[in-house]
Amino acid sequence: MMARNADGFIAMPGGLGTLEELMEVMTWQQLGFHAKPIGLLNTEGFYDPLLNFFTHCIDEGFVAARHQNVIVSADPEQLVQQMLEWQPPATNALVEARQRAAAIGEDISRAAPDS
């Protein structure tokens, strides 16, 4: 419910729970469950190692570069402004058709294609 009503998602420096929630909304965006901005408040470079890991995943072919669209800033006001200006990534027609009928978090991988 909270994800459905949110205009976007911001992860502040945190622990495993924060990382789990961040990965979840990133995965949902990749799957087309939402088209909302995702931001990292990178206070004192806290998320630099994670951002390096994302780059490594892309370099190794495990993540498509088009899915690395997290907004990063150490300044809260700048982060919010960038999120307000953010444009959603393009998705394919099948994902778009399925997401119109799917609830947040619903598994669309087994849904029958629209006729």
Side-chain angles (χ1 to χ4, degrees):
M1 176 68 101
M2 185 170 52
R4 184 177 299 135
N5 293 326
D7 293 326
F9 309 95
I10 296 176
M12 298 184 290
L16 295 176
T18 301
L19 289 175
E20 187 275 328
E21 293 292 333
L22 174 64
M23 294 302 118
E24 182 173 57
V25 296
M26 289 176 69
T27 301
W28 285 356
Q29 186 183 72
Q30 178 182 342
L31 294 173
F33 289 144
H34 74 79
K36 300 175 183 184
I38 301 168
L40 289 178
L41 184 59
N42 196 24
T43 306
E44 297 182 11
F46 181 84
Y47 281 113
D48 288 348
L50 181 63
L51 295 168
N52 289 334
F53 175 70
F54 290 161
T55 300
H56 177 68
C57 289
I58 291 167
D59 291 346
E60 294 297 318
F62 288 98
V63 176
R66 70 180 179 273
H67 296 302
Q68 171 49 325
N69 56 18
V70 173
I71 301 164
V72 180
S73 179
D75 179 83
E77 291 179 23
Q78 182 182 32
L79 180 61
V80 170
Q81 185 59 44
Q82 289 175 308
M83 291 179 73
L84 290 171
E85 297 168 0
W86 180 83
Q87 295 296 312
T91 59
N92 68 46
L94 181 57
V95 169
E96 288 175 0
R98 288 181 176 173
Q99 87 180 51
R100 282 193 295 271
I104 294 290
E106 181 180 333
D107 182 2
I108 62 168
S109 64
R110 294 189 184 101
D114 293 326
S115 305

